Amino acid sequence: MNEKPFGNDRPDAVPGDALETGDALDPEADGPLELAEMAALMRTQQRAARGGTARIVSLLLLTWGVVWFTGFLVLWSGVRGGNPWFTIASPIDSIAFGGLMIVGVAASITMGARLGRGVRGGSATSDTMYGLAWMVAMAGATATLTALIGHGLAPESITLVAPSIYVSTAGLMYLVGAAIWRSWATFGLGSCVIAIACVATFIGAPHHLLAYAIGSIVVLPVFAWLSWRGMMRGTDPTRPGSGPRASET
Amino acid sequence: MDQLDPVIHAPARLRIMTTLDESLADDDSMTFPRLRELLDMTAGNLTTHLAKLEAAGYVGIEKAFEGRKPVTRISLTLEGRAAFRTYRTTLLDLIGGTSS
């Protein structure tokens, strides 16, 4: 019986042809190289497998760095006593900020979907739950803020509490990610993001918005670069995308 | 001298095992087209080498239907992961590198 164990979900495969069954190929023709060449091949493949994820995470962090920087700069330019050089009229500032956030969320969903493409199992479930946790956390932050406003939170407090609650929640989510992937670099990212929220709130209105803008354009690109260099990896050997860096093997 | 596992000691199979070890947790599986994309190998070549790895018990191959579409999923068995890591350590020891 000519059993075809797999491969017939390939669009280019014709049932029974050599390509589908692999009959035309001799596996032994792919002979081993010198030991050093085999080690180099393994390292190259390791970097290639890890690189895709690292680059997507890097782009994601860079995107949010730009989105937060631009968004908070726009808000700072819209409040009285903010930007001394030019003013953006209300509600254009809020609309622009909202639009930028939508761009960031859309980029996150698009890039996040690429991260686990074609993979199913425990780690995919964990990644999906982490993605959903972001949505639940942000929805919770929005609901809490809405409730506070409903209970009469003063407008001057809203301008301080609103960005603080969202940015702190984002920082907390990075900390959760750090715990999942056992990544100290991601833990550092979460801590820095929470620190930005604290420092900005201590500075107070209206220049807390500038503090958010500067903080995000400094911190997020730094961690984007670390991710690009493969330094955001976790150390849990049971999870994909974890374990020693290519330079260590 | 430590012996290198002959099943893994072929460039294509080493690339496959490295990719699966890097990309999958113990209970994960990956679709054939995605693995092929990651490796940039021809479908026939990948099929042939996966059959060899499956025969050694290093990978699991599961055929199923998702709706009406046939899907082939590849997983790395516990034995396969252990064999790959032993191979990696042995190889790096042999060339005087640092094993992990």
Side-chain angles (χ1 to χ4, degrees):
Chain A
M1 177 182 156
N2 182 21
E3 183 154 334
K4 292 170 284 189
F6 48 84
N8 67 357
D9 53 335
R10 289 177 283 112
D12 55 337
V14 178
D17 73 1
L19 180 65
E20 188 188 32
T21 60
D23 291 343
L25 295 162
D26 175 9
E28 299 308 327
D30 186 25
L33 308 168
E34 293 293 324
L35 294 184
E37 290 175 311
M38 289 295 276
L41 183 69
M42 184 174 67
R43 288 192 183 99
T44 301
Q45 194 60 38
Q46 206 172 36
R47 275 194 292 268
R50 294 172 177 180
T53 300
R55 279 192 290 275
I56 290 174
V57 172
S58 180
L59 284 173
L60 208 48
L61 290 173
L62 200 58
T63 300
W64 276 107
V66 172
V67 162
W68 280 7
F69 171 71
T70 313
F72 283 114
L73 213 55
V74 164
L75 286 182
W76 180 61
S77 303
V79 294
R80 188 178 299 165
N83 190 341
W85 295 286
F86 62 89
T87 303
I88 297 176
S90 185
I92 295 172
D93 56 344
S94 301
I95 292 170
F97 183 81
L100 283 162
M101 292 300 125
I102 289 169
V103 167
V105 170
S108 295
I109 292 170
T110 307
M111 292 186 209
R114 289 190 65 81
L115 280 174
R117 204 156 39 98
V119 175
R120 191 175 66 181
S123 64
T125 304
S126 172
D127 292 348
T128 302
M129 287 173 74
Y130 181 65
L132 291 173
W134 269 91
M135 286 190 247
V136 171
M138 289 301 170
T142 304
T144 302
L145 189 62
T146 305
L148 288 173
I149 293 169
H151 287 298
L153 185 69
E156 55 270 25
S157 297
I158 294 171
T159 187
L160 283 175
V161 171
S164 173
I165 199 169
Y166 285 116
V167 173
S168 294
T169 302
L172 191 61
M173 287 309 301
Y174 288 131
L175 293 181
V176 170
I180 294 172
W181 290 287
R182 298 188 202 172
S183 163
W184 282 106
T186 308
F187 191 89
L189 170 63
S191 302
C192 286
V193 169
I194 288 175
I196 290 171
C198 293
V199 169
T201 308
F202 271 112
I203 288 172
H207 298 304
H208 69 302
L209 297 169
L210 180 62
Y212 281 114
I214 293 172
S216 53
I217 204 61
V218 170
V219 167
L220 292 175
V222 166
F223 283 94
W225 178 80
L226 289 177
S227 178
W228 192 273
R229 300 282 300 165
M231 296 164 77
M232 295 281 281
R233 299 176 53 74
T235 57
D236 181 354
T238 65
R239 288 188 59 86
S242 298
R245 284 188 283 277
S247 59
E248 296 168 358
T249 59
Chain B
M1 184 178 111
D2 291 328
Q3 291 295 310
L4 288 166
D5 187 334
V7 177
I8 301 176
H9 195 58
R13 292 196 290 276
L14 177 59
R15 290 183 65 222
I16 293 169
M17 292 297 282
T18 303
T19 301
L20 293 175
D21 181 62
E22 283 294 325
S23 307
L24 300 180
D26 287 344
D27 54 353
D28 285 346
S29 62
M30 179 183 286
T31 60
F32 182 91
R34 177 63 179 146
L35 181 61
R36 185 184 161 197
E37 182 187 326
L38 286 172
L39 291 163
D40 195 22
M41 289 171 70
T42 64
N45 203 15
L46 179 55
T47 300
T48 304
H49 288 292
L50 281 175
K52 191 104 176 172
L53 292 167
E54 186 189 31
Y58 291 173
V59 301
I61 296 164
E62 177 199 355
K63 281 186 73 171
F65 279 87
E66 288 182 2
R68 297 178 66 182
K69 189 182 170 192
V71 176
T72 302
R73 293 192 167 275
I74 319 298
S75 59
L76 185 62
T77 63
L78 293 176
E79 187 186 357
R81 194 183 299 280
F84 171 71
R85 293 192 175 179
T86 300
Y87 173 91
R88 183 172 67 185
T89 302
T90 307
L91 176 64
L92 294 174
D93 283 346
L94 286 171
I95 65 166
T98 307
S99 60
S100 59

mmCIF file of all heavy atoms in Angstrom, chain A residues 63-109:
data_model
loop_
_atom_site.group_PDB
_atom_site.id
_atom_site.type_symbol
_atom_site.label_atom_id
_atom_site.label_comp_id
_atom_site.label_asym_id
_atom_site.label_seq_id
_atom_site.Cartn_x
_atom_site.Cartn_y
_atom_site.Cartn_z
ATOM 1 N N THR A 63 6.223 50.475 17.459
ATOM 2 C CA THR A 63 4.938 51.065 17.051
ATOM 3 C C THR A 63 4.283 51.777 18.239
ATOM 4 O O THR A 63 3.850 52.931 18.124
ATOM 5 C CB THR A 63 3.980 49.977 16.515
ATOM 6 O OG1 THR A 63 4.591 49.356 15.389
ATOM 7 C CG2 THR A 63 2.640 50.564 16.108
ATOM 8 N N TRP A 64 4.254 51.094 19.399
ATOM 9 C CA TRP A 64 3.614 51.703 20.563
ATOM 10 C C TRP A 64 4.427 52.881 21.094
ATOM 11 O O TRP A 64 3.854 53.855 21.609
ATOM 12 C CB TRP A 64 3.381 50.661 21.665
ATOM 13 C CG TRP A 64 2.096 49.917 21.427
ATOM 14 C CD1 TRP A 64 1.959 48.633 21.006
ATOM 15 C CD2 TRP A 64 0.769 50.441 21.542
ATOM 16 N NE1 TRP A 64 0.622 48.312 20.861
ATOM 17 C CE2 TRP A 64 -0.128 49.408 21.183
ATOM 18 C CE3 TRP A 64 0.246 51.689 21.898
ATOM 19 C CZ2 TRP A 64 -1.512 49.578 21.192
ATOM 20 C CZ3 TRP A 64 -1.138 51.861 21.903
ATOM 21 C CH2 TRP A 64 -1.993 50.810 21.552
ATOM 22 N N GLY A 65 5.735 52.827 20.942
ATOM 23 C CA GLY A 65 6.568 53.963 21.340
ATOM 24 C C GLY A 65 6.196 55.210 20.538
ATOM 25 O O GLY A 65 6.011 56.296 21.095
ATOM 26 N N VAL A 66 6.045 55.018 19.232
ATOM 27 C CA VAL A 66 5.692 56.147 18.352
ATOM 28 C C VAL A 66 4.259 56.608 18.621
ATOM 29 O O VAL A 66 3.980 57.813 18.689
ATOM 30 C CB VAL A 66 5.881 55.732 16.867
ATOM 31 C CG1 VAL A 66 5.329 56.803 15.930
ATOM 32 C CG2 VAL A 66 7.352 55.468 16.574
ATOM 33 N N VAL A 67 3.348 55.638 18.795
ATOM 34 C CA VAL A 67 1.935 55.966 19.038
ATOM 35 C C VAL A 67 1.784 56.758 20.341
ATOM 36 O O VAL A 67 1.118 57.803 20.377
ATOM 37 C CB VAL A 67 1.078 54.674 19.076
ATOM 38 C CG1 VAL A 67 -0.269 54.916 19.739
ATOM 39 C CG2 VAL A 67 0.863 54.145 17.661
ATOM 40 N N TRP A 68 2.397 56.280 21.401
ATOM 41 C CA TRP A 68 2.295 56.983 22.688
ATOM 42 C C TRP A 68 2.974 58.352 22.621
ATOM 43 O O TRP A 68 2.437 59.341 23.131
ATOM 44 C CB TRP A 68 2.933 56.143 23.805
ATOM 45 C CG TRP A 68 2.049 55.060 24.316
ATOM 46 C CD1 TRP A 68 0.846 54.675 23.811
ATOM 47 C CD2 TRP A 68 2.301 54.208 25.438
ATOM 48 N NE1 TRP A 68 0.339 53.625 24.541
ATOM 49 C CE2 TRP A 68 1.198 53.323 25.543
ATOM 50 C CE3 TRP A 68 3.344 54.086 26.350
ATOM 51 C CZ2 TRP A 68 1.132 52.346 26.541
ATOM 52 C CZ3 TRP A 68 3.270 53.122 27.334
ATOM 53 C CH2 TRP A 68 2.172 52.262 27.430
ATOM 54 N N PHE A 69 4.154 58.404 22.012
ATOM 55 C CA PHE A 69 4.880 59.679 21.921
ATOM 56 C C PHE A 69 4.034 60.718 21.176
ATOM 57 O O PHE A 69 3.797 61.820 21.673
ATOM 58 C CB PHE A 69 6.214 59.465 21.198
ATOM 59 C CG PHE A 69 6.937 60.734 20.870
ATOM 60 C CD1 PHE A 69 7.523 61.496 21.878
ATOM 61 C CD2 PHE A 69 7.026 61.193 19.554
ATOM 62 C CE1 PHE A 69 8.188 62.679 21.580
ATOM 63 C CE2 PHE A 69 7.684 62.367 19.247
ATOM 64 C CZ PHE A 69 8.260 63.112 20.263
ATOM 65 N N THR A 70 3.551 60.324 19.999
ATOM 66 C CA THR A 70 2.760 61.259 19.187
ATOM 67 C C THR A 70 1.453 61.615 19.886
ATOM 68 O O THR A 70 1.057 62.789 19.944
ATOM 69 C CB THR A 70 2.460 60.636 17.804
ATOM 70 O OG1 THR A 70 3.657 60.078 17.284
ATOM 71 C CG2 THR A 70 1.932 61.677 16.835
ATOM 72 N N GLY A 71 0.784 60.598 20.421
ATOM 73 C CA GLY A 71 -0.510 60.815 21.057
ATOM 74 C C GLY A 71 -0.420 61.751 22.257
ATOM 75 O O GLY A 71 -1.212 62.702 22.380
ATOM 76 N N PHE A 72 0.536 61.489 23.142
ATOM 77 C CA PHE A 72 0.651 62.333 24.333
ATOM 78 C C PHE A 72 1.161 63.733 23.983
ATOM 79 O O PHE A 72 0.790 64.710 24.632
ATOM 80 C CB PHE A 72 1.551 61.669 25.385
ATOM 81 C CG PHE A 72 0.855 60.566 26.128
ATOM 82 C CD1 PHE A 72 1.257 59.254 26.015
ATOM 83 C CD2 PHE A 72 -0.249 60.853 26.936
ATOM 84 C CE1 PHE A 72 0.591 58.241 26.700
ATOM 85 C CE2 PHE A 72 -0.922 59.847 27.631
ATOM 86 C CZ PHE A 72 -0.496 58.529 27.507
ATOM 87 N N LEU A 73 1.976 63.809 22.928
ATOM 88 C CA LEU A 73 2.430 65.126 22.483
ATOM 89 C C LEU A 73 1.245 65.947 21.960
ATOM 90 O O LEU A 73 1.132 67.158 22.229
ATOM 91 C CB LEU A 73 3.485 64.946 21.381
ATOM 92 C CG LEU A 73 4.609 65.979 21.310
ATOM 93 C CD1 LEU A 73 5.338 66.098 22.641
ATOM 94 C CD2 LEU A 73 5.587 65.610 20.199
ATOM 95 N N VAL A 74 0.351 65.263 21.253
ATOM 96 C CA VAL A 74 -0.857 65.924 20.729
ATOM 97 C C VAL A 74 -1.736 66.395 21.897
ATOM 98 O O VAL A 74 -2.216 67.536 21.906
ATOM 99 C CB VAL A 74 -1.638 64.963 19.795
ATOM 100 C CG1 VAL A 74 -3.057 65.469 19.550
ATOM 101 C CG2 VAL A 74 -0.913 64.793 18.471
ATOM 102 N N LEU A 75 -1.924 65.528 22.900
ATOM 103 C CA LEU A 75 -2.745 65.904 24.059
ATOM 104 C C LEU A 75 -2.116 67.072 24.815
ATOM 105 O O LEU A 75 -2.798 67.998 25.250
ATOM 106 C CB LEU A 75 -2.906 64.700 25.005
ATOM 107 C CG LEU A 75 -3.845 63.576 24.577
ATOM 108 C CD1 LEU A 75 -3.916 62.513 25.666
ATOM 109 C CD2 LEU A 75 -5.250 64.087 24.259
ATOM 110 N N TRP A 76 -0.784 67.020 24.958
ATOM 111 C CA TRP A 76 -0.063 68.108 25.661
ATOM 112 C C TRP A 76 -0.230 69.426 24.909
ATOM 113 O O TRP A 76 -0.299 70.501 25.515
ATOM 114 C CB TRP A 76 1.411 67.716 25.770
ATOM 115 C CG TRP A 76 2.297 68.700 26.463
ATOM 116 C CD1 TRP A 76 2.189 69.134 27.747
ATOM 117 C CD2 TRP A 76 3.427 69.368 25.910
ATOM 118 N NE1 TRP A 76 3.197 70.020 28.038
ATOM 119 C CE2 TRP A 76 3.975 70.182 26.916
ATOM 120 C CE3 TRP A 76 4.050 69.349 24.650
ATOM 121 C CZ2 TRP A 76 5.114 70.982 26.721
ATOM 122 C CZ3 TRP A 76 5.181 70.125 24.458
ATOM 123 C CH2 TRP A 76 5.694 70.937 25.485
ATOM 124 N N SER A 77 -0.322 69.309 23.573
ATOM 125 C CA SER A 77 -0.479 70.519 22.747
ATOM 126 C C SER A 77 -1.921 71.013 22.750
ATOM 127 O O SER A 77 -2.210 72.092 22.226
ATOM 128 C CB SER A 77 -0.047 70.226 21.301
ATOM 129 O OG SER A 77 1.277 69.755 21.282
ATOM 130 N N GLY A 78 -2.814 70.203 23.319
ATOM 131 C CA GLY A 78 -4.230 70.598 23.319
ATOM 132 C C GLY A 78 -4.700 71.171 24.643
ATOM 133 O O GLY A 78 -5.794 71.746 24.710
ATOM 134 N N VAL A 79 -3.893 70.989 25.692
ATOM 135 C CA VAL A 79 -4.342 71.488 27.001
ATOM 136 C C VAL A 79 -3.785 72.893 27.276
ATOM 137 O O VAL A 79 -2.707 73.257 26.790
ATOM 138 C CB VAL A 79 -3.914 70.540 28.159
ATOM 139 C CG1 VAL A 79 -4.619 69.213 28.040
ATOM 140 C CG2 VAL A 79 -2.407 70.363 28.205
ATOM 141 N N ARG A 80 -4.546 73.648 28.056
ATOM 142 C CA ARG A 80 -4.123 75.005 28.421
ATOM 143 C C ARG A 80 -2.847 74.918 29.283
ATOM 144 O O ARG A 80 -2.773 74.127 30.219
ATOM 145 C CB ARG A 80 -5.234 75.700 29.201
ATOM 146 C CG ARG A 80 -4.967 77.177 29.471
ATOM 147 C CD ARG A 80 -6.131 77.817 30.208
ATOM 148 N NE ARG A 80 -7.367 77.749 29.436
ATOM 149 C CZ ARG A 80 -8.572 77.963 29.962
ATOM 150 N NH1 ARG A 80 -8.704 78.223 31.244
ATOM 151 N NH2 ARG A 80 -9.641 77.914 29.210
ATOM 152 N N GLY A 81 -1.872 75.736 28.908
ATOM 153 C CA GLY A 81 -0.619 75.740 29.670
ATOM 154 C C GLY A 81 0.336 74.638 29.267
ATOM 155 O O GLY A 81 1.388 74.455 29.888
ATOM 156 N N GLY A 82 -0.025 73.885 28.200
ATOM 157 C CA GLY A 82 0.830 72.782 27.751
ATOM 158 C C GLY A 82 1.920 73.254 26.815
ATOM 159 O O GLY A 82 2.830 73.995 27.224
ATOM 160 N N ASN A 83 1.827 72.829 25.576
ATOM 161 C CA ASN A 83 2.852 73.165 24.571
ATOM 162 C C ASN A 83 2.965 74.676 24.385
ATOM 163 O O ASN A 83 2.000 75.331 23.983
ATOM 164 C CB ASN A 83 2.457 72.489 23.244
ATOM 165 C CG ASN A 83 3.558 72.558 22.209
ATOM 166 O OD1 ASN A 83 4.465 73.371 22.318
ATOM 167 N ND2 ASN A 83 3.479 71.681 21.223
ATOM 168 N N PRO A 84 4.137 75.267 24.664
ATOM 169 C CA PRO A 84 4.281 76.728 24.531
ATOM 170 C C PRO A 84 4.455 77.181 23.088
ATOM 171 O O PRO A 84 4.386 78.381 22.803
ATOM 172 C CB PRO A 84 5.532 77.025 25.357
ATOM 173 C CG PRO A 84 6.340 75.773 25.291
ATOM 174 C CD PRO A 84 5.362 74.632 25.186
ATOM 175 N N TRP A 85 4.726 76.243 22.171
ATOM 176 C CA TRP A 85 5.037 76.629 20.789
ATOM 177 C C TRP A 85 3.807 76.647 19.883
ATOM 178 O O TRP A 85 3.674 77.495 19.028
ATOM 179 C CB TRP A 85 6.095 75.688 20.202
ATOM 180 C CG TRP A 85 7.411 75.824 20.932
ATOM 181 C CD1 TRP A 85 8.289 76.862 20.838
ATOM 182 C CD2 TRP A 85 7.946 74.928 21.902
ATOM 183 N NE1 TRP A 85 9.350 76.660 21.685
ATOM 184 C CE2 TRP A 85 9.167 75.476 22.358
ATOM 185 C CE3 TRP A 85 7.522 73.720 22.445
ATOM 186 C CZ2 TRP A 85 9.965 74.856 23.317
ATOM 187 C CZ3 TRP A 85 8.314 73.093 23.385
ATOM 188 C CH2 TRP A 85 9.519 73.670 23.811
ATOM 189 N N PHE A 86 2.933 75.686 20.051
ATOM 190 C CA PHE A 86 1.703 75.684 19.237
ATOM 191 C C PHE A 86 0.596 74.955 19.992
ATOM 192 O O PHE A 86 0.866 74.177 20.925
ATOM 193 C CB PHE A 86 1.921 75.047 17.853
ATOM 194 C CG PHE A 86 2.329 73.603 17.892
ATOM 195 C CD1 PHE A 86 1.383 72.595 17.891
ATOM 196 C CD2 PHE A 86 3.685 73.261 17.922
ATOM 197 C CE1 PHE A 86 1.752 71.271 17.923
ATOM 198 C CE2 PHE A 86 4.066 71.931 17.958
ATOM 199 C CZ PHE A 86 3.114 70.929 17.953
ATOM 200 N N THR A 87 -0.643 75.225 19.584
ATOM 201 C CA THR A 87 -1.795 74.619 20.263
ATOM 202 C C THR A 87 -2.645 73.851 19.251
ATOM 203 O O THR A 87 -2.807 74.298 18.112
ATOM 204 C CB THR A 87 -2.658 75.727 20.915
ATOM 205 O OG1 THR A 87 -1.830 76.464 21.804
ATOM 206 C CG2 THR A 87 -3.839 75.126 21.679
ATOM 207 N N ILE A 88 -3.122 72.708 19.665
ATOM 208 C CA ILE A 88 -4.059 71.940 18.832
ATOM 209 C C ILE A 88 -5.439 72.073 19.476
ATOM 210 O O ILE A 88 -5.615 71.784 20.665
ATOM 211 C CB ILE A 88 -3.642 70.453 18.744
ATOM 212 C CG1 ILE A 88 -2.269 70.342 18.057
ATOM 213 C CG2 ILE A 88 -4.690 69.636 17.984
ATOM 214 C CD1 ILE A 88 -1.708 68.939 17.995
ATOM 215 N N ALA A 89 -6.374 72.535 18.671
ATOM 216 C CA ALA A 89 -7.712 72.819 19.206
ATOM 217 C C ALA A 89 -8.422 71.543 19.650
ATOM 218 O O ALA A 89 -8.203 70.457 19.102
ATOM 219 C CB ALA A 89 -8.540 73.529 18.136
ATOM 220 N N SER A 90 -9.266 71.708 20.665
ATOM 221 C CA SER A 90 -10.129 70.620 21.109
ATOM 222 C C SER A 90 -11.380 70.612 20.226
ATOM 223 O O SER A 90 -11.865 71.681 19.838
ATOM 224 C CB SER A 90 -10.519 70.869 22.565
ATOM 225 O OG SER A 90 -11.240 69.796 23.071
ATOM 226 N N PRO A 91 -11.934 69.496 19.790
ATOM 227 C CA PRO A 91 -11.601 68.124 20.191
ATOM 228 C C PRO A 91 -10.633 67.426 19.241
ATOM 229 O O PRO A 91 -10.534 66.202 19.288
ATOM 230 C CB PRO A 91 -12.963 67.442 20.172
ATOM 231 C CG PRO A 91 -13.654 68.057 19.001
ATOM 232 C CD PRO A 91 -13.165 69.503 18.946
ATOM 233 N N ILE A 92 -9.952 68.215 18.379
ATOM 234 C CA ILE A 92 -9.055 67.571 17.406
ATOM 235 C C ILE A 92 -7.979 66.746 18.139
ATOM 236 O O ILE A 92 -7.619 65.649 17.703
ATOM 237 C CB ILE A 92 -8.411 68.640 16.490
ATOM 238 C CG1 ILE A 92 -9.498 69.299 15.648
ATOM 239 C CG2 ILE A 92 -7.341 68.019 15.594
ATOM 240 C CD1 ILE A 92 -9.027 70.493 14.846
ATOM 241 N N ASP A 93 -7.483 67.290 19.267
ATOM 242 C CA ASP A 93 -6.436 66.562 20.003
ATOM 243 C C ASP A 93 -6.935 65.206 20.487
ATOM 244 O O ASP A 93 -6.259 64.187 20.339
ATOM 245 C CB ASP A 93 -5.920 67.412 21.168
ATOM 246 C CG ASP A 93 -7.050 67.849 22.112
ATOM 247 O OD1 ASP A 93 -8.232 67.767 21.719
ATOM 248 O OD2 ASP A 93 -6.736 68.269 23.240
ATOM 249 N N SER A 94 -8.149 65.190 21.052
ATOM 250 C CA SER A 94 -8.688 63.930 21.571
ATOM 251 C C SER A 94 -8.979 62.943 20.451
ATOM 252 O O SER A 94 -8.718 61.727 20.583
ATOM 253 C CB SER A 94 -9.983 64.192 22.353
ATOM 254 O OG SER A 94 -9.724 65.063 23.410
ATOM 255 N N ILE A 95 -9.500 63.481 19.333
ATOM 256 C CA ILE A 95 -9.798 62.604 18.187
ATOM 257 C C ILE A 95 -8.504 62.011 17.640
ATOM 258 O O ILE A 95 -8.416 60.806 17.347
ATOM 259 C CB ILE A 95 -10.554 63.392 17.091
ATOM 260 C CG1 ILE A 95 -11.961 63.759 17.587
ATOM 261 C CG2 ILE A 95 -10.633 62.586 15.800
ATOM 262 C CD1 ILE A 95 -12.702 64.738 16.706
ATOM 263 N N ALA A 96 -7.479 62.851 17.534
ATOM 264 C CA ALA A 96 -6.178 62.368 17.027
ATOM 265 C C ALA A 96 -5.597 61.316 17.965
ATOM 266 O O ALA A 96 -5.083 60.277 17.524
ATOM 267 C CB ALA A 96 -5.218 63.541 16.881
ATOM 268 N N PHE A 97 -5.709 61.568 19.279
ATOM 269 C CA PHE A 97 -5.196 60.607 20.256
ATOM 270 C C PHE A 97 -5.935 59.267 20.129
ATOM 271 O O PHE A 97 -5.321 58.196 20.084
ATOM 272 C CB PHE A 97 -5.355 61.168 21.678
ATOM 273 C CG PHE A 97 -4.772 60.272 22.741
ATOM 274 C CD1 PHE A 97 -3.409 60.282 22.992
ATOM 275 C CD2 PHE A 97 -5.580 59.428 23.489
ATOM 276 C CE1 PHE A 97 -2.857 59.464 23.975
ATOM 277 C CE2 PHE A 97 -5.039 58.596 24.471
ATOM 278 C CZ PHE A 97 -3.679 58.622 24.711
ATOM 279 N N GLY A 98 -7.259 59.340 20.032
ATOM 280 C CA GLY A 98 -8.064 58.128 19.881
ATOM 281 C C GLY A 98 -7.714 57.373 18.607
ATOM 282 O O GLY A 98 -7.588 56.147 18.609
ATOM 283 N N GLY A 99 -7.515 58.125 17.523
ATOM 284 C CA GLY A 99 -7.149 57.506 16.245
ATOM 285 C C GLY A 99 -5.811 56.789 16.341
ATOM 286 O O GLY A 99 -5.643 55.670 15.827
ATOM 287 N N LEU A 100 -4.861 57.421 17.014
ATOM 288 C CA LEU A 100 -3.542 56.795 17.175
ATOM 289 C C LEU A 100 -3.639 55.511 18.006
ATOM 290 O O LEU A 100 -2.964 54.517 17.714
ATOM 291 C CB LEU A 100 -2.572 57.783 17.844
ATOM 292 C CG LEU A 100 -2.033 58.873 16.914
ATOM 293 C CD1 LEU A 100 -1.451 60.033 17.727
ATOM 294 C CD2 LEU A 100 -0.973 58.302 15.980
ATOM 295 N N MET A 101 -4.471 55.543 19.044
ATOM 296 C CA MET A 101 -4.643 54.339 19.860
ATOM 297 C C MET A 101 -5.243 53.202 19.022
ATOM 298 O O MET A 101 -4.838 52.041 19.152
ATOM 299 C CB MET A 101 -5.560 54.612 21.062
ATOM 300 C CG MET A 101 -4.974 55.544 22.098
ATOM 301 S SD MET A 101 -3.438 54.903 22.797
ATOM 302 C CE MET A 101 -2.342 56.275 22.481
ATOM 303 N N ILE A 102 -6.198 53.553 18.152
ATOM 304 C CA ILE A 102 -6.799 52.531 17.283
ATOM 305 C C ILE A 102 -5.745 51.938 16.354
ATOM 306 O O ILE A 102 -5.687 50.726 16.136
ATOM 307 C CB ILE A 102 -7.977 53.147 16.478
ATOM 308 C CG1 ILE A 102 -9.149 53.430 17.430
ATOM 309 C CG2 ILE A 102 -8.420 52.218 15.352
ATOM 310 C CD1 ILE A 102 -10.263 54.259 16.826
ATOM 311 N N VAL A 103 -4.862 52.802 15.831
ATOM 312 C CA VAL A 103 -3.771 52.315 14.975
ATOM 313 C C VAL A 103 -2.896 51.335 15.764
ATOM 314 O O VAL A 103 -2.515 50.260 15.275
ATOM 315 C CB VAL A 103 -2.918 53.501 14.456
ATOM 316 C CG1 VAL A 103 -1.611 53.008 13.836
ATOM 317 C CG2 VAL A 103 -3.714 54.319 13.443
ATOM 318 N N GLY A 104 -2.576 51.703 17.021
ATOM 319 C CA GLY A 104 -1.745 50.838 17.862
ATOM 320 C C GLY A 104 -2.399 49.499 18.134
ATOM 321 O O GLY A 104 -1.757 48.451 18.027
ATOM 322 N N VAL A 105 -3.683 49.522 18.461
ATOM 323 C CA VAL A 105 -4.405 48.276 18.752
ATOM 324 C C VAL A 105 -4.485 47.406 17.497
ATOM 325 O O VAL A 105 -4.266 46.185 17.551
ATOM 326 C CB VAL A 105 -5.822 48.582 19.298
ATOM 327 C CG1 VAL A 105 -6.668 47.320 19.364
ATOM 328 C CG2 VAL A 105 -5.730 49.228 20.676
ATOM 329 N N ALA A 106 -4.765 48.048 16.344
ATOM 330 C CA ALA A 106 -4.849 47.287 15.086
ATOM 331 C C ALA A 106 -3.501 46.639 14.772
ATOM 332 O O ALA A 106 -3.437 45.470 14.356
ATOM 333 C CB ALA A 106 -5.274 48.211 13.942
ATOM 334 N N ALA A 107 -2.415 47.398 14.994
ATOM 335 C CA ALA A 107 -1.075 46.843 14.746
ATOM 336 C C ALA A 107 -0.805 45.674 15.691
ATOM 337 O O ALA A 107 -0.236 44.645 15.285
ATOM 338 C CB ALA A 107 -0.019 47.930 14.935
ATOM 339 N N SER A 108 -1.243 45.814 16.948
ATOM 340 C CA SER A 108 -1.030 44.740 17.926
ATOM 341 C C SER A 108 -1.767 43.472 17.518
ATOM 342 O O SER A 108 -1.217 42.368 17.600
ATOM 343 C CB SER A 108 -1.529 45.171 19.308
ATOM 344 O OG SER A 108 -0.762 46.239 19.779
ATOM 345 N N ILE A 109 -3.023 43.634 17.091
ATOM 346 C CA ILE A 109 -3.819 42.461 16.707
ATOM 347 C C ILE A 109 -3.203 41.786 15.480
ATOM 348 O O ILE A 109 -3.035 40.570 15.421
ATOM 349 C CB ILE A 109 -5.282 42.874 16.443
ATOM 350 C CG1 ILE A 109 -5.947 43.304 17.762
ATOM 351 C CG2 ILE A 109 -6.069 41.744 15.796
ATOM 352 C CD1 ILE A 109 -7.301 43.955 17.605
#
